[in-house]
Structure formats: C-alpha cells, structure tokens
Amino acid sequence: MLKRKKRNEAIENALADMARHKGGGSEFIQRMLRNKTGMIGTCICFVLIILCAGAPIFTKWDPYEQSLASKFILPNMEHIMGTDDFGRDLWCRLLYGGRYSLLIALGSAVISTVAGLVLGSCAGYFGGKTDLIITRFLDIIQAIPGLLLAIAISSALGSGPFNTMLAIAIGNIAGGARIMRSTVLSIRGNEFVEAAKATGSRDARIIFVHILPNTIAPLAINASMGIGGSIGAISGLSFIGLGVQPPTPEWGSILAVGKTYIRDFWPIVLFPALFIALTIFGFNLFGDALRDALDPKMRD
Amino acid sequence: MSLLEIRNLSIHFVSHKQDIAAVNGVDLTIEKGKTMGLVGETGAGKTTTALGILNLIQKPQGRFLSGEIIYKGRDLLKLSEDEMRKVRGKEISMIFQDPMTALNPILPVGEQIAEVIRLHEKCSDAEAEKKSLQMLEMVGIRAERSGEYPHQFSGGMKQRVVIAIALACNPSFLIADEPTTALDVTIQAQVLEMMADLRNRFGTSMLLITHDLGIVAENCDDVAIMYAGEIIEIGTLERIFHNPKHPYTLGLFGSIPSLDKDEDRLHPIPGLMPDPAALPRGCKFHERCDRACEACSELIQELVEIEPGHKVRCHRVVKGEI
C-alpha cells in the first residue's frame, strides 16, 4: 500500500516536472545560446541580414547614382570601402546587393532542400519502383553539369532574381536528395523503425516522427554549405548576363565586374569577396550549431 | 480455446536468382495465457515466423506461399493493412532482440511509450503521458526519468523500456524475439523475472524466441524446436525436456556442458545448417544426423504424435527404431 502511494507520488512529481519543461522550444534556444561558435555564426548571419535589410539606414549613398568624377576612390571617411568603376559607393552597393544575394541564396537553399527532402525520403523509405523512378530522375538532373543546367533554365525562364533562384535550386536538388535517400536508407534499417511498424504506426507517422528528425544533421550541413555554393552560382549566371542584370547590385556580379580591375584597384574585389566569405562562414557555423542543438546526445 | 493458431505457414524470400525457403509449413498453437518457447539455431526461421505473425515480412521479396494465422477467429493474413495496423501494438506486440537500436535515439523514452498509447487508445495527451509514467514505474524505472533519451539508459534499462512499450496497450499476445540475447546474465535474469511477473498479472500469452534452452526451461509451458524452417519437435515443456526424441533436439541438449562432470570439450552438433536456398531432399537434418539411414534422404516425414502432447518429425523415431 505504502509502495503504491510512493509510486503515485513519483508519477505526480514527474508529471509536474514535465509540465514545467513543456515546449522544447525554450530548451532548444538555451542550447543554441550556450554554443559559442554557433552564436558567432548566428550573430554574423543576423548582422548581415540587418545590414542588408536596413541598407538605407546604414548608408547615405544611392546604389545606382553614377559619378564618373569620383571613380576608383580608395576607402576614406566619405566612402568607407571606396568607389567602383562608375564612382558608386561600394559599401552602399554591397548592402543593397546583399538583399539579392542573400535572398536568392537562402531561397534556393530552402527550395532545393525541401524538394530534396521530399524526393530523397520517398525514394529511401518506399524503395522499389518509387526509388527507381526518383533515382533515375535525379540521374538526369545530375548528368547535366550544374551551371549548364542553371544557364539552360534561366535562359528559358528569363533573367531576374526569382528565376535565378529557381534555376540554381533545381540544379541543387539532386545532391540533397541523394544525401537524404542514403540517410533514410540507413535509418530505415534500424530496429526502431521496425518496432514502430510493429506498434501499428502509419507510414506518414514513421517518416515524420521517426525518420526525418534523425536526418537533420546531414541535411543542415548540406543546406548551409549550399548557400555558399549558390552565391557563387548567382555570380556565375550574372557574369554571362543571365542572373541579376547590372546595374542591379549583387555580390557576385560586383565581384565579376571588379575582376577586370583586380591589379589596379583592390577594394572592388576584396570587399565583395569578404562579404561572400563571411556569409558562407556564418551560415556554416549556424548549420553546425543547429545540428548540435537538435541532437539529444549533445546535451549535458 | 487457442488464442493463436498458425497453420501450414510457408514464407519464402524470392530474388531474381534464388528462392530462399525461410519458413516451411509451420504449425503452432498457442493457448490463452500460455508461453510457447520457439528454439532453434540462427537462421532456422524463428524471427521470420514472428514477423510473419505481424505481417511485417519485407515485401516484395518476402512472400507467403501458404498458411493461415488464426488469431481470435480471424485470419491475420487476410486483414487489410488498416485492420492489421490496429492489431499491431494493441492486440499483438513484439519485443525486439537488440534494445540498443529498438528505441528512437532522438525521442525521450516517455514520449515513445506514450506514442503507442495515443495510437491505439482514445485518450488525451495528458492521460497517455500518465499511463506512460505508470508503465515506466511498472518495469522498474523511476518516473522522473521519462524525459531522458535512450542513450542515457543502460542496455538492461533500455530493454525494460522496450518491454514497457510492448505492454503499454495490454496486448493479449506478446512476441519476444530473443529479448535477452543482448544482455548480460544477471540483467537477463532480472528482465525475464519481470516479464514472467507481468505476464502472470495480465494473463498475456507469449511466443518466446530464443536459442537458450535454460531460458525456455524457466519460462515456457510448451516448446517447439525449429530447424531449417520446419518444426521438428513440439510438445509440453516437461515432455521435451524429459523425453527429447528427435536427434536434433538430443544434439541441442547434448551440446550444453554439464556442471557436474569434468568436461574438457564441448559436444557441438557437427556441420552447419543447410543453405535455405538449396535445402536437402528428405529430412532436412539427415546430413548432420548421426542416426540417419538411407531412407532419411528420401522420406518426407510429417509431424507425428508419439505420446500425448508430444510430436516429432523423424521417421525412425516414429517407427520406434531409435
């Protein structure tokens, strides 16, 4: 009797405890905050996004106004990063350009990750004919070199930020889907998936509750790496006149134009490259931190 | 009345080049509240039989060639996938061999128990949570630990969680597929004792798959010995242990070292299990049998009752030659 009472008490306590810790969100945020390198990455991303979103606050110049008299000015108090070949303020153009670069890169990473996730997990989970059809489709995408495919798609759709985003995303689906497929295959072999079937779970439930959350790590890494690659691809497209068209500022195209002047005027190459590198660095750290915060084995 | 009756069950795995005969014409009857031990070496088809009961054979390679699995008057093999889902976990549940991988590493254990309850019972989240805590306490884990993750538990504790999941919806039939193989001996004893206790309390019938005859002796009412996808000897625990007849069963008992005698060597059954893709003609065991005669490689023997509650599949035993 006494034992029973004690047991009931323990259950009550545990229930109360669970109620207090409800909403794993707060715990997730705490764990993100505790991760130092992750916080650096998150801050970098955050600062970049704030700078680009609030560009008019952080610069007094206009990104389109040319002034041939003041071209190729080295960084000074007036132009903190100097001016480009048309005398436009570089700092200003980088901030406005970030709006396109970040949006396109993030957007294409999201599109390709989601599409890859759906295709890859269906192929991996259902196997058989579904797997065959999806894998062959991915083979077709991968048989065409990524940039060539992007060129083909954006020349078919026309230039412009949204089409560029789509063009780059489609080329990136295959890689993500393949990673997803192999991860799902390895997780599907685990006994806990069979155990879930043996308890009468539906396919959708098994995929969403048991398999997908276990694939976060490779997916987060792939997506954050993809952002860096996308910025490179955007600049490539812009360079051949298919991506974002000049005079619209965009990091890749600023870099591509600046290449001509690399021997005579270093700021026009260094600063956009720095922005791109910082973005990639920031998102990679953020991706790592995200993976760690979601992995229960990393808790203390 | 029997709770589960398997009749003439055959499961083959067919690939483009070979046909693997995993289970060949198995008949098994499990009475309500009783425990049947299914014994055999690796590859004898024990796990395939168990997965067959839940209709979880990997398709399209795995095929049911024949058979019926009558559970409470319904043939499980004829149920639709939807109906079968309601049976799994609720009516029949399974304990898996390896507790290290049988739990989802990224869900708290309490959540994993509550999930089964929510799937099968109409109750609120709070009730499911409370029931999951009760289940944890019942298998001897403090309820406070329900928010912890599988890697924070030892192997024996994980197996207890697996058992808690299996018993969460009070199933009438429990399949335990080598539940203690991955555990060390003291933990084995604890887990088995707990399972026996829970079984007695809820009146659950059980199919206990193992290759450890000691576990069978402690836990089972009936025993079936399986070899190369066939049941070669079946009977009550007492009959099989006191009067084993089939040469393979004798070999199994003979391979257990005795504590009383000073033995230098073990006495294994010579040879290996035949390749299930190319089973020998006649008796499947005759190639390794020290009592085989010429007729053994030709004759196909059925299970024959040689005394009440004891059937053997060996023509020499049936004819009284050995």
Side-chain angles (χ1 to χ4, degrees):
Chain A
M1 200 58 208
L2 194 73
K3 208 175 154 194
R4 182 156 208 179
K5 201 174 168 196
K6 222 171 162 187
R7 179 177 287 180
N8 280 338
E9 230 165 65
I11 291 174
E12 293 300 323
N13 286 342
L15 271 176
D17 211 44
M18 274 161 89
R20 245 176 285 133
H21 286 97
K22 256 281 135 61
S26 67
E27 198 191 340
F28 168 75
I29 291 170
Q30 272 179 16
R31 289 169 69 192
M32 279 298 274
L33 289 177
R34 243 179 288 145
N35 185 338
K36 278 199 194 103
T37 49
M39 273 320 287
I40 294 174
T42 315
C43 287
I44 293 175
C45 297
F46 195 66
V47 167
L48 279 172
I49 290 170
I50 293 285
L51 279 177
C52 297
I57 308 168
F58 301 104
T59 175
K60 58 179 179 174
W61 301 98
D62 181 292
Y64 296 106
E65 202 185 286
Q66 303 185 2
S67 151
L68 289 176
S70 54
K71 66 177 183 181
F72 296 131
I73 295 177
L74 283 172
N76 56 33
M77 289 310 286
E78 194 75 350
H79 300 281
I80 52 171
M81 286 185 177
T83 57
D84 69 358
D85 50 337
F86 289 103
R88 296 170 294 201
D89 182 66
L90 209 52
W91 167 248
C92 165
R93 277 184 70 75
L94 284 174
L95 292 194
Y96 281 96
R99 292 177 168 187
Y100 290 101
S101 298
L102 286 178
L103 262 174
I104 297 174
L106 278 174
S108 70
V110 169
I111 294 175
S112 66
T113 304
V114 170
L117 188 136
V118 172
L119 287 175
S121 51
C122 285
Y125 183 75
F126 292 109
K129 284 209 180 79
T130 322
D131 184 22
L132 196 77
I133 293 167
I134 293 176
T135 318
R136 291 298 149 260
F137 171 68
L138 297 179
D139 281 346
I140 294 171
I141 293 184
Q142 272 193 324
I144 309 165
L147 198 59
L148 208 61
L149 184 71
I151 290 170
I153 296 169
S154 59
S155 54
L157 297 174
S159 60
F162 183 75
N163 291 341
T164 309
M165 183 165 91
L166 217 57
I168 291 164
I170 291 174
N172 284 341
I173 288 175
R178 273 185 201 286
I179 291 177
M180 199 58 201
R181 174 178 173 269
S182 56
T183 317
V184 168
L185 272 180
S186 77
I187 291 165
R188 196 185 66 162
N190 274 320
E191 232 168 27
F192 69 82
V193 174
E194 196 162 22
K197 275 188 206 155
T199 56
S201 299
R202 283 165 193 284
D203 282 341
R205 196 180 170 79
I206 293 173
I207 293 182
F208 287 112
V209 176
H210 294 286
I211 295 183
L212 284 189
N214 275 301
T215 61
I216 292 277
L219 211 64
I221 300 295
N222 187 50
S224 61
M225 296 287 201
I227 289 175
S230 303
I231 292 181
I234 302 164
S235 75
L237 284 181
S238 304
F239 186 64
I240 56 169
L242 282 169
V244 179
Q245 297 298 308
T248 311
E250 193 277 321
W251 293 348
S253 68
I254 295 173
L255 190 65
V257 169
K259 239 178 8 194
T260 330
Y261 309 105
I262 188 167
R263 291 198 197 189
D264 312 308
F265 187 68
W266 55 267
I268 200 170
V269 179
L270 181 73
F271 290 120
L274 214 60
F275 268 78
I276 295 174
L278 261 178
T279 310
I280 298 173
F281 180 63
F283 277 104
N284 281 358
L285 289 186
F286 177 72
D288 279 354
L290 194 69
R291 179 201 55 191
D292 289 350
L294 289 170
D295 183 356
K297 282 195 187 149
M298 304 293 284
R299 353 173 132 216
D300 31 31
Chain B
M1 195 196 122
S2 57
L3 180 76
L4 183 94
E5 196 177 341
I6 302 177
R7 290 185 204 143
N8 192 28
L9 181 71
S10 293
I11 301 171
H12 286 203
F13 291 97
V14 185
S15 68
H16 54 284
K17 47 180 172 234
Q18 53 186 5
D19 180 359
I20 294 165
V23 176
N24 307 304
V26 163
D27 295 288
L28 263 184
T29 304
I30 294 151
E31 306 291 331
K32 200 165 183 323
K34 298 275 176 165
T35 297
M36 166 75 80
L38 189 58
V39 185
E41 55 193 297
T42 308
K46 308 181 300 281
T47 302
T48 309
T49 307
L51 290 175
I53 295 174
L54 285 171
N55 205 341
L56 281 179
I57 299 293
Q58 182 83 44
K59 282 165 186 155
Q61 298 88 348
R63 287 177 198 164
F64 290 94
L65 290 197
S66 68
E68 289 174 324
I69 297 169
I70 312 289
Y71 172 79
K72 289 187 177 168
R74 294 193 294 176
D75 186 353
L76 293 184
L77 295 182
K78 293 210 172 70
L79 294 186
S80 71
E81 188 56 29
D82 267 339
E83 290 171 307
M84 198 58 214
R85 253 201 305 272
K86 286 182 193 125
V87 173
R88 293 182 195 134
K90 168 83 182 134
E91 295 280 337
I92 304 177
S93 61
M94 184 154 173
I95 297 172
F96 285 87
Q97 187 170 352
D98 184 3
M100 307 301 164
T101 59
L103 294 171
N104 188 340
I106 55 160
L107 284 181
V109 294
E111 181 55 37
Q112 299 193 43
I113 302 173
E115 192 190 338
V116 198
I117 302 168
R118 273 198 297 265
L119 266 178
H120 293 291
E121 276 166 30
K122 288 191 184 78
C123 64
S124 66
D125 279 8
E127 281 166 348
E129 243 161 44
K130 188 162 183 202
K131 179 94 193 282
S132 82
L133 296 177
Q134 284 167 348
M135 290 309 296
L136 270 183
E137 285 276 339
M138 202 173 75
V139 296
I141 298 175
R142 281 177 291 121
E144 305 94 275
R145 299 198 64 183
S146 80
E148 292 183 16
Y149 290 84
H151 70 275
Q152 290 164 297
F153 290 85
S154 69
M157 300 274 261
K158 274 188 229 177
Q159 192 62 301
R160 284 161 188 264
V161 175
V162 172
I163 292 169
I165 293 174
L167 293 176
C169 291
N170 297 334
S172 336
F173 185 57
L174 185 64
I175 301 169
D177 186 4
E178 307 195 26
T180 55
T181 306
L183 307 176
D184 69 65
V185 186
T186 38
I187 306 298
Q188 262 188 27
Q190 285 177 19
V191 167
L192 286 169
E193 198 176 308
M194 189 191 79
M195 278 170 64
D197 176 43
L198 297 175
R199 218 165 56 224
N200 292 338
R201 257 201 274 169
F202 296 115
T204 316
S205 306
M206 187 159 90
L207 180 67
L208 178 66
I209 297 174
T210 178
H211 38 233
D212 187 337
L213 286 164
I215 290 177
V216 173
E218 291 288 324
N219 293 281
C220 298
D221 304 300
D222 299 294
V223 189
I225 315 279
M226 207 163 173
Y227 184 80
E230 287 178 343
I231 287 177
I232 50 112
E233 187 158 9
I234 184 167
T236 59
L237 180 74
E238 206 177 311
R239 289 293 92 211
I240 302 286
F241 274 69
H242 289 159
N243 191 18
K245 280 294 183 192
H246 196 285
Y248 179 66
T249 317
L250 291 169
L252 280 185
F253 282 109
S255 63
I256 303 171
S258 164
L259 282 178
D260 309 327
K261 279 180 271 171
D262 184 21
E263 289 187 77
D264 294 332
R265 310 190 118 237
L266 297 172
H267 304 289
I269 304 170
L272 287 171
M273 178 99 81
D275 178 3
L279 289 175
R281 277 153 54 84
C283 171
K284 311 267 190 291
F285 185 62
H286 78 266
E287 287 167 342
R288 297 169 71 186
C289 183
D290 51 0
R291 284 155 220 212
C293 63
E294 269 175 38
C296 289
S297 61
E298 295 294 333
L299 269 177
I300 294 171
Q301 181 63 44
E302 295 300 314
L303 269 175
V304 173
E305 189 155 44
I306 53 162
E307 57 183 325
H310 188 180
K311 292 180 185 172
V312 180
R313 191 193 287 272
C314 175
H315 76 97
R316 299 202 70 187
V317 171
V318 172
K319 288 173 191 152
E321 291 173 9
I322 49 175

